[in-house]
Amino acid sequence: MEKVSIKQPETIERSEFLKQVGIGFGAIMLMQCIQGCAESEIPDPNPTTGGTKLDITIDLNSSTYATLKNKGGFAVISANRIIVAQTQSGTFLAVSSACTHAGTTVTYRANSNDFFCPNHGSVFRSDGSVQNGPATAALKRYNTSVDLSNNKLRIFE
Ligand code: FES
């Protein structure tokens, strides 16, 4: 007569089972947290560099920048994600235009000489630092150099 052996299923203790399930669950939760955190990262306050320092010159005679002709006027340079304002006669400042909270384009407020985000109300000082949240990171401040005789404004890092 042929001998048949039946292998018994391996058994583990209940506590060992729970420990293994718990480790697996923890690993899944950790991965989801990492993915979730990456998606809600603060917008890059320095979006234009990409390894190259920003250095652009704009023509203040261009109709594109007509709003910059007057004290208190501002313009957004979308291609470089920069906002430029003439804060005093002949004095310009430039900061990154994407709010560091969720990326909404900020506007310049001449009356208070600051940058305001219309999305959730963050306020940034003229140097780009945060005055009121929810944003917690500053806008990047750029250097400016104006040549009024040629109506050129250089914005650079
Ligand atoms: S996106 Fe600017 S405050 Fe939220």
Side-chain angles (χ1 to χ4, degrees):
M1 179 165 229
E2 195 177 317
K3 209 172 179 181
V4 177
S5 69
I6 298 173
K7 195 171 182 178
Q8 291 292 320
E10 214 172 283
T11 59
I12 60 172
E13 292 290 320
R14 182 176 182 202
S15 62
E16 183 62 26
F17 171 77
L18 291 174
K19 197 186 302 179
Q20 289 180 10
V21 169
I23 289 170
F25 182 72
I28 290 169
M29 294 306 291
L30 179 64
M31 288 304 296
Q32 287 187 340
C33 177
I34 290 170
Q35 288 171 345
C37 293
E39 288 168 3
S40 63
E41 257 179 23
I42 294 170
D44 184 358
N46 186 15
T48 56
T49 55
T52 308
K53 295 224 181 257
L54 178 94
D55 193 344
I56 59 172
T57 300
I58 61 172
D59 182 356
L60 295 173
N61 281 333
S62 163
S63 59
T64 305
Y65 304 113
T67 52
L68 276 175
K69 284 284 205 180
N70 303 314
K71 177 184 162 191
F74 72 92
V76 174
I77 305 173
S78 300
N80 299 99
R81 297 177 67 190
I82 291 173
I83 183 169
V84 190
Q86 183 175 171
T87 57
Q88 302 292 321
S89 291
T91 302
F92 295 83
L93 63 81
V95 296
S96 52
S97 61
C99 176
T100 57
H101 178 235
T104 301
T105 300
V106 298
T107 61
Y108 176 70
R109 300 189 303 189
N111 289 345
S112 45
N113 189 31
D114 59 20
F115 296 93
F116 175 72
C117 177
N119 199 352
H120 307 109
S122 287
V123 178
F124 301 87
R125 296 178 188 92
S126 59
D127 67 357
S129 62
V130 176
Q131 182 172 314
N132 293 322
T136 56
L139 300 173
K140 179 174 177 58
R141 176 89 185 256
Y142 294 92
N143 300 309
T144 58
S145 171
V146 66
D147 175 1
L148 288 176
S149 58
N150 292 306
N151 284 305
K152 302 284 187 199
L153 175 65
R154 181 180 171 216
I155 303 163
F156 61 102
E157 295 182 64

